[in-house]
Amino acid sequence: MNPTVLTILISSLGLGTTLTFIGSHWLLVWMGLEINTLAIIPLMIRQHHPRAVEATTKYFITQATASALLLFASITNAWTSGEWSLTEMINPTSATLALTALALKIGLAPLHFWLPEVLQGLDLTTGLILSTWQKLAPFAILLQLYPLLNPNLLLSLGILSTIIGGWGGLNQTQLRKILAYSSIANLGWMITILHYAPNLTLLNLILYIIMTLTTFLLFKIFNSTKINSIASSSTKSPLLSIITLLTLLSLGGLPPLSGFMPKWLILQELTKQSLFTPATIMALMALLSLFFY
């Protein structure tokens, strides 16, 4: 790809996310999300093979649907309240629609079906951008909207995501699909606690981005897309293989690694809120995730 075009696309990615970060008007926030989506599509399709084209088409249709739903939610809220401000979403129907749209954007269960397929069709660099940078803008909106969202709906989405993220990764041999299910499970943990302790959601998101960044970069160094290729590369560079192993276990939340800290704090907060059943289910699903890691 032409370096000038690449620079423009990466700058647009940054601009879209920044607009969403600083915007307090629904149209500005929506515009930021749209710029973000349109900037990553040429990066996804630059390889010109059928899998990349299929993944890009699926991603575009999903994101366009989510954006339309988000715009509809903001217009409905403006119609009933006369306010375009992000924090003035007083209409419960609009808040639920906005949450559904953002869940579809980031790939929360049960709206997760596009994520493993799309990630599988991309190269590791674009997959890295999709798994990390593209999560920032929707979470910026969620962290501003959290007092207005239905806690039971957030809890349901979170628990379902941890269950599907745990079960879905068990039967996979493709590393990108495993990372997609890992993403769904980690997002489930973040969404579950969003209403009760948004600072824990932010902590979990930061740690998840650092660990996913490390994992994707290590796979890129090894040029690995399947589990077998990691096993063969351990003889070439044992130190990097050990780092890969520790990063994967950290993503799964094995104590005493850093990935365990947010999970422990989230379980602690859930028990303080007397949500014992969700805490138990999520702890068991974390064991499933650890098993496939």
Side-chain angles (χ1 to χ4, degrees), residues 16-218:
T17 307
T18 309
L19 272 178
T20 308
F21 272 24
I22 61 172
S24 59
H25 192 287
W26 267 112
L27 283 181
L28 190 65
V29 166
W30 173 79
M31 201 188 302
L33 290 170
E34 282 300 288
I35 292 169
N36 220 350
T37 304
L38 293 172
I40 200 175
I41 282 168
L43 293 174
M44 293 168 82
I45 210 167
R46 74 180 193 274
Q47 287 188 314
H48 296 299
H49 61 75
R51 289 300 299 269
V53 174
E54 183 191 342
T56 309
T57 310
K58 282 178 181 173
Y59 183 75
F60 176 70
I61 291 168
T62 309
Q63 296 299 309
T65 309
S67 291
L69 195 56
L70 192 66
L71 191 60
F72 178 64
S74 56
I75 290 170
T76 311
N77 184 61
W79 186 278
T80 52
S81 68
E83 285 285 346
W84 280 98
S85 174
L86 203 68
T87 50
E88 295 292 329
M89 191 165 259
I90 52 173
N91 186 351
T93 310
S94 300
T96 306
L97 279 173
L99 175 59
T100 309
L102 293 166
L104 182 58
K105 265 202 171 295
I106 57 178
L108 277 175
L111 307 164
H112 68 286
F113 293 103
W114 62 273
L115 185 58
E117 298 301 321
V118 167
L119 209 56
Q120 181 59 31
L122 302 176
D123 63 303
L124 288 167
T125 312
T126 321
L128 167 63
I129 297 170
L130 188 71
S131 300
T132 55
W133 187 260
Q134 294 298 89
K135 301 277 189 281
L136 293 176
F139 265 100
I141 302 171
L142 284 168
L143 285 164
Q144 289 179 73
L145 284 183
Y146 79 90
L148 315 167
L149 301 173
N150 184 342
N152 293 330
L153 183 58
L154 286 170
L155 205 60
S156 307
L157 285 171
I159 292 167
L160 198 57
S161 296
T162 50
I163 292 169
I164 285 171
W167 279 107
L170 283 177
N171 203 25
Q172 302 298 336
T173 55
Q174 296 285 344
L175 291 174
R176 283 165 296 183
K177 277 199 175 177
I178 287 176
L179 286 169
Y181 282 109
S182 148
S183 172
I184 294 165
N186 276 292
L187 291 172
W189 282 86
M190 295 175 216
I191 287 295
T192 305
I193 205 65
L194 180 64
H195 188 78
Y196 305 104
N199 53 339
L200 283 183
T201 299
L202 192 58
L203 172 72
N204 202 339
L205 180 65
I206 292 164
L207 281 171
Y208 162 74
I209 286 173
I210 293 166
M211 291 185 294
T212 307
L213 183 73
T214 312
T215 310
F216 268 100
L217 291 176
L218 286 165

